[in-house]
Amino acid sequence: MKKLSIVFATLFIALCQQAAAQTLDTGALRGFSPSTVRETFEVCRYAKLTTDQQVSLARAVDDENALFVKMIAGNNGVLAVRDRNRLAKMRDNTLRRLLDDETLLQYYRGLYDAEAMAEGTGIANDLQKKYNLTDQNWKFIRIAFYKIALDSRVIRRMMADTPAKARKEIERIRREQLKTIEEKGGIRVNDDMTVDVVRPFDPVALRKE
């Protein structure tokens, strides 16, 4: 894998490409089951795959589905945790085999975007209510924690084989984003999620969009 600093330099490009990343070659996938086509689309909606990549992904999904049926049939209709983890590992390995780092990054960012935005907004709402923060600081907090949440999820998936390095990179990003809140808003969000005022804030506050 490329160095993470290089990979994450493509984040803006990957985000812009998402608008074009929803084309599914239905003709090439005609011979697959509806469930397989749907799961293939769930990847293509976030990342642009060639026709050959889509077909290869669909074949891998077919293999996963066949194994899934075998697993639950042998366990009284229940999917064990170890089997669920095995299926997830199969999907991760398939994506890593088929996609380059930039496309994989694009997929994971799309996959986790809404979840990360909800987390960032929730944190901003909670801190604003607790500390009576301005709407401008609400925006700074929301953006920073959205980026922390999104990049953390992506890094954990992209660097699953090197968890120690992943944790270090996540901590670096967290420090950078918390610093932006302090620099822009004059408040410090501490590790325990308390807030300190570090300098007087501009009274002209922006409203929530």
Side-chain angles (χ1 to χ4, degrees):
M1 182 187 292
K2 302 173 184 176
K3 290 183 179 179
L4 196 67
S5 59
I6 297 175
V7 173
F8 271 77
T10 67
L11 290 181
F12 178 74
I13 296 174
L15 187 61
C16 292
Q17 288 176 339
Q18 285 182 17
Q22 296 189 20
T23 301
L24 195 70
D25 193 332
T26 55
L29 300 180
R30 188 175 294 114
F32 293 95
S33 69
S35 62
T36 293
V37 173
R38 182 173 182 177
E39 288 195 54
T40 302
F41 174 76
E42 289 302 316
V43 175
C44 294
R45 67 183 293 196
Y46 299 125
K48 190 171 182 60
L49 275 65
T50 65
T51 295
D52 287 345
Q53 286 175 320
Q54 291 180 30
V55 171
S56 294
L57 175 59
R59 287 171 178 162
V61 170
D62 267 353
D63 291 341
E64 292 173 19
N65 289 342
L67 180 59
F68 167 79
V69 171
K70 183 178 179 180
M71 286 172 169
I72 61 173
N75 196 35
N76 297 317
V78 176
L79 184 66
V81 173
R82 66 178 182 278
D83 291 335
R84 184 183 300 112
N85 291 339
R86 182 181 173 188
L87 290 169
K89 186 66 174 179
M90 287 178 65
R91 178 62 59 87
D92 284 346
N93 289 341
T94 295
L95 293 175
R96 287 176 180 273
R97 174 172 56 84
L98 294 177
L99 308 180
D100 59 27
D101 284 344
E102 184 176 330
T103 307
L104 190 61
L105 174 66
Q106 183 183 351
Y107 167 67
Y108 285 137
R109 283 185 63 83
L111 181 66
Y112 293 120
D113 183 75
E115 184 179 310
M117 180 58 74
E119 182 174 324
T121 301
I123 291 172
N125 287 342
D126 290 345
L127 292 181
Q128 184 182 47
K129 182 178 180 180
K130 184 175 182 179
Y131 293 98
N132 194 28
L133 302 177
T134 66
D135 286 346
Q136 189 165 356
N137 270 329
W138 174 90
K139 186 177 76 170
F140 296 149
I141 293 170
R142 181 190 62 167
I143 292 173
F145 278 95
Y146 158 70
K147 292 180 178 178
I148 291 169
L150 181 58
D151 288 351
S152 296
R153 287 163 170 78
V154 173
I155 288 170
R156 290 189 187 101
R157 297 299 294 271
M158 296 285 290
M159 301 181 68
D161 295 335
T162 54
K165 290 183 179 179
R167 287 192 296 270
K168 185 176 181 180
E169 184 64 18
I170 290 170
E171 181 56 34
R172 182 188 68 78
I173 290 173
R174 182 180 177 86
R175 288 196 306 269
E176 287 182 354
Q177 291 303 319
L178 293 181
K179 185 177 179 181
T180 66
I181 298 173
E182 184 172 341
E183 291 175 344
K184 294 178 180 179
I187 61 171
R188 180 184 299 117
V189 179
N190 301 306
D191 289 339
D192 61 359
M193 300 306 290
T194 57
V195 173
D196 296 322
V197 177
V198 296
R199 69 171 186 275
F201 187 67
D202 183 353
V204 180
L206 300 177
R207 305 308 301 174
K208 295 179 184 177
E209 298 177 356

